[in-house]
């Protein structure tokens, strides 16, 4: 933290990665919910030829020119994917794989060609493959901030329409909304966010930056609004913590560390989220098994007690073995709930226990009917 407060360059990089993470989290939520998780991977790889072609045309490494080339190439790849899906019988995963492989192959071919040229300016283009956050400038942060602000405004303005599009595109169309425009709008912003992140995270890891915060946020809520906000927070913290870890440890690249931090948020969410987390699911399963075991034991006791006029008549514990077996813990739990009484090796039902058992028994009979 001391290094962050004293190093202006590190402050710029941290702010840039935080804004990038927030933008990717917000827009990545829509990609995840639209089941277009591989779209980010395809777009990031499809942007590579645009970077190379922009360099060949301008013969400079101007970030504006290179990112503009990446944006055009990314949009071309995106709409090519959509065209293949809508006009052919190919599935979305096939179209994504084809475009990803084709564009990335062309991009690598062009980069190889550029590297063999005598032009000294070609050095450093490979940073777009793996990212180089240290090259972020104040102008880049302003650009990212502008895109973040514009994204927020667009999401707020078209919130109702985009929400409908996510969950029922056909119904959205019947209401008179321009589904194609909305689809192009959100897809274009996703492409823009990916292109802006190439300089920081790189082609190879950009997909994770887009999807990880959204995947983590999805575990915590069923509300789209809350999910978008949480994804933005997870993305921003991934950028901040990833940059801090990278700066404090020599030899660590910032982009991969940011992705690892984002993946850590995903892991924590998968394990500890109350509704979908693995830990709480196991706890619920354990409680359900325990409740079922108590119910079965109490049902057997109820059937035995029914055969006698006095429901509080003691019975030998070993008689339960003739029905389902029992455990000491089960009997202790029933006793703690004051549903039965244990006296040595004998048990008897309390009035409360008999009434509850009768209620549960009747409910079970009704459900079976």
């Amino acid at each position: 933290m001391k290094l962050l407060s004293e190093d202006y360059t590190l402050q710029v990089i941290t702010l840039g990665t935080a804004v990038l993470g927030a933008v990717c989290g917000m827009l990545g939520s829509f990609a995840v919910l639209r089941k277009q998780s591989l779209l980010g991977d395809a777009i990031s790889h499809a942007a590579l030829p645009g970077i190379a072609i922009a360099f060949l045309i301008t013969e400079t490494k101007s970030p504006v020119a290179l990112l503009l080339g990446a944006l055009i190439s990314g949009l071309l790849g995106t709409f090519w994917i959509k065209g293949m899906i809508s006009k052919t019988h190919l599935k979305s995963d096939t179209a994504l794989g084809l475009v990803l492989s084709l564009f990335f192959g062309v991009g690598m071919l062009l980069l190889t060609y550029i590297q063999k040229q005598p032009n000294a300016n070609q050095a450093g283009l490979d940073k777009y493959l793996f990212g180089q956050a240290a090259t972020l400038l104040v102008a880049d942060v302003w650009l990212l901030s502008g895109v973040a602000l514009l994204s927020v405004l667009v999401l707020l303005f078209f919130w109702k329409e985009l929400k409908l599009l996510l969950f029922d595109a056909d119904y959205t169309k019947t209401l008179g909304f321009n589904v194609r425009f909305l689809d192009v709008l959100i897809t274009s912003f996703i492409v823009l966010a990916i292109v802006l992140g190439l300089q920081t995270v790189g082609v190879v890891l950009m997909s994770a930056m887009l999807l990880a915060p959204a995947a983590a946020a999805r575990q915590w809520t069923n509300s789209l609004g809350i999910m978008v906000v949480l994804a933005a927070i997870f993305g921003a913290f991934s950028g901040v913590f990833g940059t801090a870890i990278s700066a404090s440890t020599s030899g660590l690249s910032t982009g991969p560390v940011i992705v690892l931090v984002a993946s850590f948020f995903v892991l924590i969410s998968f394990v500890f989220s109350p509704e979908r987390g693995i830990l709480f699911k196991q706890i619920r399963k354990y409680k359900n098994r325990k409740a079922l075991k108590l119910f079965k034991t109490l049902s057997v006791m109820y059937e035995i007690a029914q055969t006698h006029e006095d429901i509080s008549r003691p019975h030998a514990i070993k008689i339960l073995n003739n029905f389902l077996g029992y455990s000491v813990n089960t009997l202790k739990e029933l006793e703690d709930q004051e549903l039965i009484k244990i006296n040595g090796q004998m048990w008897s039902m309390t009035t409360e226990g008999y009434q509850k058992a009768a209620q549960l028994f009747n409910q079970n009979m009704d459900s079976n009917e």
Side-chain angles (χ1 to χ4, degrees):
M1 289 298 176
K2 183 179 180 181
L3 181 62
L4 179 61
S5 63
E6 297 176 353
D7 192 327
Y8 176 74
T9 302
L10 184 58
Q11 292 173 1
V12 172
I13 296 171
T14 303
L15 181 59
T17 54
V19 174
L20 174 64
V23 174
C24 288
M26 284 191 300
L27 299 175
S29 300
F30 290 88
V32 169
L33 292 176
R34 296 178 74 188
K35 298 180 181 179
Q36 295 179 334
S37 300
L38 288 176
L39 183 62
D41 204 20
I43 294 171
S44 60
H45 285 74
L48 189 59
I51 295 172
I53 293 172
F55 173 79
L56 289 172
I57 293 174
T58 62
E59 296 186 351
T60 65
K61 291 187 295 183
S62 168
V64 175
L66 296 182
L67 292 179
L68 181 60
L71 179 61
I72 295 172
S73 182
L75 288 171
L76 179 62
T78 302
F79 294 117
W80 193 355
I81 291 170
K82 291 184 176 293
M84 290 173 66
I85 295 172
S86 61
K87 309 228 179 256
T88 68
H89 296 291
L90 294 176
K91 299 293 184 181
S92 59
D93 56 344
T94 305
L96 287 166
L98 287 172
V99 170
L100 184 154
S101 303
L102 176 61
F103 275 70
F104 189 65
V106 172
M108 291 301 297
L109 186 65
L110 290 174
L111 284 182
T112 303
Y113 170 77
I114 290 171
Q115 289 172 356
K116 292 181 179 179
Q117 300 301 305
N119 185 358
N121 286 333
Q122 54 82 18
L125 284 181
D126 57 344
K127 73 182 181 183
Y128 288 96
L129 279 175
F130 304 105
Q132 192 173 341
T135 61
L136 280 176
L137 303 175
V138 175
D140 299 322
V141 176
W142 278 111
L143 179 60
L144 287 168
S145 302
V147 171
L149 178 60
L150 185 59
S151 300
V152 170
L153 293 176
V154 168
L155 290 180
L156 289 175
F157 190 79
F158 293 100
W159 182 256
K160 179 178 67 176
E161 294 86 347
L162 292 173
K163 190 174 182 179
L164 284 171
L165 180 67
L166 275 179
F167 300 107
D168 197 334
D170 292 333
Y171 180 62
T172 307
K173 192 172 183 178
T174 61
L175 293 178
F177 295 116
N178 191 332
V179 173
R180 183 173 179 80
F181 167 75
L182 293 172
D183 181 58
V184 170
L185 180 68
I186 191 64
T187 301
S188 298
F189 270 90
I190 291 174
V191 174
L192 183 58
I194 290 172
V195 167
L196 291 175
L198 293 179
Q199 183 177 353
T200 304
V201 182
V203 166
V204 178
L205 297 175
M206 189 57 216
S207 177
M209 192 63 191
L210 183 74
L211 301 176
R218 182 68 182 93
Q219 302 303 306
W220 296 92
T221 181
N222 290 319
S223 167
L224 177 61
I226 296 175
M227 177 181 172
V228 170
V229 173
L230 280 178
I233 293 173
F234 287 148
F237 277 121
S238 297
V240 172
F241 292 148
T243 304
I245 294 171
S246 175
S248 61
T249 307
S250 61
L252 291 180
S253 298
T254 305
V257 176
I258 292 174
V259 171
L260 287 176
V261 173
S263 300
F264 176 75
F265 280 122
V266 175
L267 178 62
I268 293 297
S269 301
F270 279 0
V271 174
F272 295 105
S273 63
E275 292 297 325
R276 298 184 178 86
I278 296 172
L279 176 62
F280 286 95
K281 279 185 178 179
Q282 293 302 318
I283 292 175
R284 285 193 293 271
K285 285 182 180 179
Y286 170 76
K287 288 182 176 179
N288 290 337
R289 285 196 297 266
K290 184 178 179 181
L292 182 60
K293 194 171 184 179
L294 289 176
F295 169 70
K296 286 183 176 180
T297 304
L298 194 62
S299 296
V300 170
M301 291 177 165
Y302 171 72
E303 292 177 357
I304 295 173
Q306 270 188 318
T307 62
H308 302 279
E309 292 183 3
D310 183 10
I311 62 170
S312 62
R313 175 181 171 176
H315 301 274
I317 290 177
K318 64 181 180 180
I319 197 175
L320 297 175
N321 288 328
N322 297 328
F323 297 92
L324 79 166
Y326 65 93
S327 69
V328 175
N329 290 334
T330 302
L331 296 181
K332 181 71 168 57
E333 181 70 22
L334 290 172
E335 185 181 25
D336 290 342
Q337 295 182 23
E338 298 183 349
L339 301 178
I340 65 171
K341 292 180 179 178
I342 302 292
N343 186 12
Q345 293 300 311
M346 307 293 288
W347 64 267
S348 60
M349 296 196 76
T350 64
T351 302
E352 181 183 354
Y354 186 85
Q355 292 174 350
K356 183 171 183 179
Q359 182 182 5
L360 291 173
F361 187 80
N362 293 330
Q363 287 177 355
N364 186 55
M365 292 295 291
D366 293 339
S367 64
N368 290 334
E369 292 178 0

